[in-house]
Amino acid sequence: MIPKVRKAVFPAAGLGTRFLPATKAMPKEMLPLVDKPLIQYGIEEAIQSGIHNIVIVTGRGKSAIEDHFDVSFELEHLLELRQKTETLQAVRQISDMIDVAYVRQKEALGLGHAILRAKDLVGPEPFAAVLSDDVIDAPVPCLRQLLDVYDFYGCSVLALMEVPREAISAYGVVAAEPVSHGESGTVFRVHDLVEKPKAEDAPSNLAIIGRYILTPEVFDAIETTPPGRGGEIQLTDGLRHLLRSRPIYGVKFEGKRFDAGDKLGFLQATVEFALKRQDLGGAFRDYLRSLGL
Ligand code: G1P
């Protein structure tokens, strides 16, 4: 039987240099998209995909993340007194729905290293990994789309997206061929992976986006992976090791992805998420129109 995915790992120890100075004293995962911090979108996606055990890999200066998912007695008491029922519900909902554990990554030594830090908390079972910079608006949560393929093959599954040649060097890139599972042309068998290649060396235009289902052998694979790009231990390189002994699949997911770790991507996500909000969308649309752009 294919073991069930119960846990999701959220690497959150990065320095957020692309968003300085906002991220000097505040974790980038806490930047608010409309009225929720970035990381909460990823956590809600995990919950909607059926995963409630959350492992957050944090670092120095990240205590706001822990506070956010903790119970705030004073705040809840005050909201109760003031009979702000809806706000109280919004504040409580997320911490009620997850079981969260934290582990520290003392030095920012790369994404592979961050995932490895979660090894003891995850144990010998498959798990999801979510990069909260990548915010995905999808009819079916992106993680759920990957889990459906995992449930069929029982192997690691990566989220893939076609990106233009000139942007490819910002991503992990796969060499892959479509398999006949599911809707045609959406599921791929991965043959090779390379982290941030030069455009001319990229094996395809299929980029890895920050959603992964990983089988526990990935930990051993990362452990034997030397530092790669930028002197960091890369998850992509670890997956390349894993590929020697296990098949890896990819899914060209349905949905719109925003790179919210980038200033322009963050603004785009803000506008589109605000427009979709029932309580804000109408007034915000009127405002945008009034700018007469
Ligand atoms: C990370 C991964 C990369 C992947 C990207 C997706 O890079 O290393 O393989 O394509 O996330 O967002 P980062 O953007 O953290 O440098």
Side-chain angles (χ1 to χ4, degrees):
M1 234 194 35
I2 294 172
K4 199 171 150 38
V5 175
R6 303 183 304 141
K7 299 178 181 173
V9 176
F10 287 71
L15 298 175
T17 47
R18 286 195 291 167
F19 238 110
L20 283 168
T23 47
K24 187 179 169 201
M26 177 174 70
K28 70 170 170 179
E29 294 77 14
M30 291 302 292
L31 290 170
L33 207 53
V34 188
D35 56 4
K36 284 188 290 194
L38 273 187
I39 192 167
Q40 188 167 337
Y41 286 84
I43 289 187
E44 288 180 357
E45 183 183 322
I47 295 170
Q48 284 156 14
S49 305
I51 298 176
H52 298 264
N53 286 312
I54 305 296
V55 176
I56 303 182
V57 184
T58 65
R60 212 146 23 99
K62 300 281 185 167
S63 52
I65 300 178
E66 299 184 24
D67 290 342
H68 182 72
F69 294 110
D70 205 355
V71 174
S72 171
F73 288 110
E74 310 88 309
L75 178 65
E76 292 189 15
H77 182 61
L78 193 80
L79 292 172
E80 229 163 54
L81 281 181
R82 296 195 180 158
Q83 299 184 330
K84 301 259 185 202
T85 330
E86 263 179 45
T87 319
L88 181 62
Q89 216 189 341
V91 164
R92 264 187 190 154
Q93 207 178 22
I94 190 82
S95 44
D96 279 356
M97 286 175 92
I98 55 171
D99 181 10
V100 54
Y102 298 92
V103 59
R104 300 278 275 206
Q105 183 188 17
K106 289 190 199 129
E107 289 172 275
L109 295 179
L111 180 57
H113 181 258
I115 296 290
L116 199 52
R117 294 294 299 135
K119 182 179 176 181
D120 289 346
L121 285 173
V122 169
E125 55 178 285
F127 62 101
V130 177
L131 309 188
S132 40
D133 277 7
D134 285 323
V135 177
I136 302 174
D137 183 26
V140 175
C142 181
L143 265 190
R144 186 66 255 165
Q145 297 179 47
L146 301 195
L147 284 167
D148 288 345
V149 175
Y150 165 81
D151 288 341
F152 186 81
Y153 291 107
C155 298
S156 296
V157 183
L158 321 176
L160 301 176
M161 184 177 95
E162 282 181 24
V163 307
R165 272 280 155 193
E166 61 274 16
I168 202 83
S169 58
Y171 298 90
V173 184
V174 297
E177 68 176 337
V179 293
S180 56
H181 174 90
E183 224 176 286
S184 65
T186 58
V187 181
F188 292 78
R189 173 95 184 243
V190 173
H191 295 300
D192 200 6
L193 309 93
V194 39
E195 178 69 4
K196 304 200 173 96
K198 285 193 197 134
E200 58 270 29
D201 300 332
S204 76
N205 64 345
L206 283 174
I208 304 169
I209 298 304
R211 300 289 184 278
Y212 310 76
I213 306 297
L214 300 170
T215 55
E217 302 82 30
V218 76
F219 293 124
D220 291 344
I222 298 171
E223 264 164 1
T224 52
T225 298
R229 185 110 198 155
E232 297 186 337
I233 298 172
Q234 298 293 348
L235 176 59
T236 307
D237 296 341
L239 289 169
R240 197 167 198 227
H241 267 200
L242 181 67
L243 200 53
R244 291 187 200 149
S245 56
R246 306 277 154 145
I248 297 179
Y249 290 85
V251 178
K252 217 162 76 181
F253 60 91
E254 197 189 332
K256 186 161 182 181
R257 171 259 186 179
F258 298 91
D259 178 6
D262 167 74
K263 289 174 192 170
L264 183 60
F266 183 85
L267 290 169
Q268 290 164 341
T270 302
V271 170
E272 295 208 25
F273 278 80
L275 284 172
K276 281 193 159 196
R277 282 278 292 258
Q278 259 185 356
D279 54 341
L280 287 168
F284 189 48
R285 178 165 286 113
D286 290 346
Y287 166 68
L288 291 179
R289 285 217 179 94
S290 80
L291 296 176
L293 300 169

